[in-house]
Amino acid sequence: LSEHSSILAHHFDDLEQQHEADTLGMWTFLATEVMFFGGVLAAYALYRHYYHSAFVAASGQESIVLGCTNTVVLLCSSLTMVLAVHSASEGKRRGIIFWLFMTIVLSLVFFSIKAIEYGKVFDHGLFPGLWNPTEEARQHLAHVDLSHVRIFFCFYFACTGLHALHMIIGVAIILVLMYKAYKGRYTAEYNNPIEMFGLYWHFVDIVWIFLFPLFYLVDRSGAGH
Amino acid sequence: MSKTAPHISLKTYFTVFAALMILVVVTVWAAGLNVHYTGFHTFTAMTVAFIKTWLVVLYFMHVRYSSTLTKLFAASAFVWLLLLFSLLFADYFSRPWLPVSESWANPAGQSHVDLSAPAHMERGAETHND
């Protein structure tokens, strides 16, 4: 067991128990994250129920192509993340670093597309903090109450912003993991941090799986798109 | 290796990934369908989202291969989410069903008060327009 002593914390009996405790702790954290995003989405669902037509029109301002591309990009990053975890389980140091790097690259693609999207909303004057809709936006939204549209964009920026914040934190953690992998800290026997981070990354992906239909696909058939 | 992390074949990961891609296409396609039943689009979009979540949780997050205790913790997150949504909507959706006394429904001699939306929301719509 001397070989394990550096990777096995002294308060655990063996690696298996340590792994089980790590997994359980991570899932407890993710359960609190589900409640965190769940609260925001519950409020969104309620407003969408009351201001349906305004939310349909506001959602029509979003680009399905950009939103869908970002969905695909994020799902690809989940695949590269799972491949990093797989490399870690086989103790392949270069595999871990390469797939973690690809995950960062895909995150940057996601951020770039998000920046284009946010830019468009700002250009139309639809950012709730700098609310000044352009003539073009007003024409598109002429049949609905603009104050309700503003609420839609409050939720849009709150939800996608919180999601992006989680990704930024994720990228920072990946950089640390890449450095430690480079130093040879992770082997086939011990790679818990990579696996636990994988759980976090997939959770962030799941949040987007819900944000995409909720914000980009609100009754598209009726909106005439 | 099997002592700490579950070993899942690459084929499983790629199959799940392919299924997720197909579901992205399905959700965009379904959103454009010309169906006018109330709630159809929300229902299909959320159903597809839950199927995608199910796949990610079971395979990418290894819950299928995890201990029963981990499964319980993972499931508890969604159980609490279900409680949050069901109690919240039970309240708001049932408000128009309640019998309301004349003095409530007609507080200031108004001919009609729409109880399907809370009063403060409706007022906000009038005063904060633009």
Side-chain angles (χ1 to χ4, degrees):
Chain A
L1 206 78
S2 59
E3 190 194 341
H4 294 165
S5 58
S6 62
I7 53 175
L8 179 66
H10 70 275
H11 50 288
F12 291 117
D13 291 338
D14 51 35
L15 287 175
E16 198 177 352
Q17 190 193 37
Q18 180 172 260
H19 179 261
E20 178 66 16
D22 283 358
T23 309
L24 210 53
M26 196 63 206
W27 269 106
T28 309
F29 167 65
L30 292 184
T32 68
E33 287 276 80
V34 169
M35 296 317 297
F36 174 65
F37 279 100
V40 184
L41 290 182
Y44 169 78
L46 208 54
Y47 275 94
R48 178 169 147 168
H49 174 67
Y50 283 117
Y51 302 152
H52 188 76
S53 55
F55 274 40
V56 169
S59 172
Q61 295 285 303
E62 307 285 354
S63 160
I64 287 192
V65 177
L66 291 181
C68 188
T69 310
N70 256 352
T71 307
V72 172
V73 168
L74 261 198
L75 287 174
C76 288
S77 86
S78 253
L79 181 69
T80 57
M81 190 62 229
V82 98
L83 292 173
V85 172
H86 188 79
S87 299
S89 74
E90 294 184 337
K92 291 179 181 162
R93 195 174 69 114
R94 291 182 63 179
I96 300 174
I97 295 171
F98 175 75
W99 290 119
L100 286 179
F101 177 73
M102 288 311 290
T103 309
I104 290 189
V105 170
L106 289 166
S107 311
L108 295 181
V109 174
F110 180 90
F111 290 140
S112 308
I113 294 174
K114 199 86 240 162
I116 296 170
E117 248 181 53
Y118 279 7
K120 276 188 179 176
V121 178
F122 273 85
D123 286 348
H124 287 130
L126 296 171
F127 179 68
L130 301 165
W131 187 251
N132 187 20
T134 57
E135 266 315 305
E136 190 195 347
R138 281 174 192 277
Q139 275 172 16
H140 279 290
L141 303 164
H143 58 293
V144 294
D145 190 327
L146 276 179
S147 66
H148 298 173
V149 173
R150 191 171 178 175
I151 291 174
F152 173 89
F153 281 104
C154 285
F155 277 108
Y156 168 78
F157 279 102
C159 289
T160 58
L162 282 173
H163 176 265
L165 179 66
H166 277 75
M167 285 188 68
I168 291 168
I169 294 169
V171 169
I173 296 172
I174 291 180
L175 290 172
V176 175
L177 290 176
M178 279 173 75
Y179 174 74
K180 289 194 169 182
Y182 173 74
K183 288 280 179 184
R185 301 276 179 84
Y186 306 122
T187 60
E189 284 161 308
Y190 179 77
N191 48 62
N192 289 4
I194 306 259
E195 200 193 336
M196 297 314 137
F197 178 75
L199 295 181
Y200 173 82
W201 195 258
H202 296 311
F203 166 78
V204 174
D205 193 18
I206 288 173
V207 171
W208 186 261
I209 284 174
F210 283 93
L211 293 189
F212 172 58
L214 284 175
F215 284 96
Y216 296 80
L217 302 175
V218 185
D219 221 343
R220 283 284 174 165
S221 61
H225 283 268
Chain B
M1 151 169 68
S2 57
K3 240 182 144 186
T4 54
H7 195 80
I8 299 146
S9 74
L10 287 178
K11 196 183 157 198
T12 308
Y13 289 141
F14 282 107
T15 309
V16 169
F17 177 72
L20 289 170
M21 285 295 131
I22 292 167
L23 287 169
V24 172
V25 176
V26 168
T27 197
V28 173
W29 168 75
L33 283 180
N34 201 12
V35 179
H36 291 291
Y37 292 115
T38 311
F40 170 83
H41 291 102
T42 309
F43 179 78
T44 48
M46 287 301 98
T47 305
V48 173
F50 271 105
I51 295 170
K52 281 155 101 181
T53 302
W54 185 249
L55 287 172
V56 172
V57 168
L58 280 194
Y59 295 97
F60 283 2
M61 297 172 92
H62 299 162
V63 164
R64 197 185 157 182
Y65 312 94
S66 298
S67 68
T68 311
L69 191 58
T70 304
K71 284 182 178 131
L72 182 70
F73 271 56
S76 73
F78 293 95
V79 171
W80 286 110
L81 198 62
L82 186 70
L83 279 177
L84 170 69
F85 273 80
S86 52
L87 292 177
L88 185 76
F89 284 105
D91 174 12
Y92 279 91
F93 284 178
S94 63
R95 285 186 188 192
W97 307 346
L98 298 172
V100 177
S101 74
E102 184 60 24
S103 60
W104 284 15
N106 205 0
Q110 292 164 317
S111 57
H112 174 250
V113 173
D114 182 10
L115 286 167
S116 65
H120 67 274
M121 286 187 179
E122 290 303 307
R123 269 206 310 279
E126 296 305 319
T127 51
H128 300 302
N129 203 347
D130 256 30

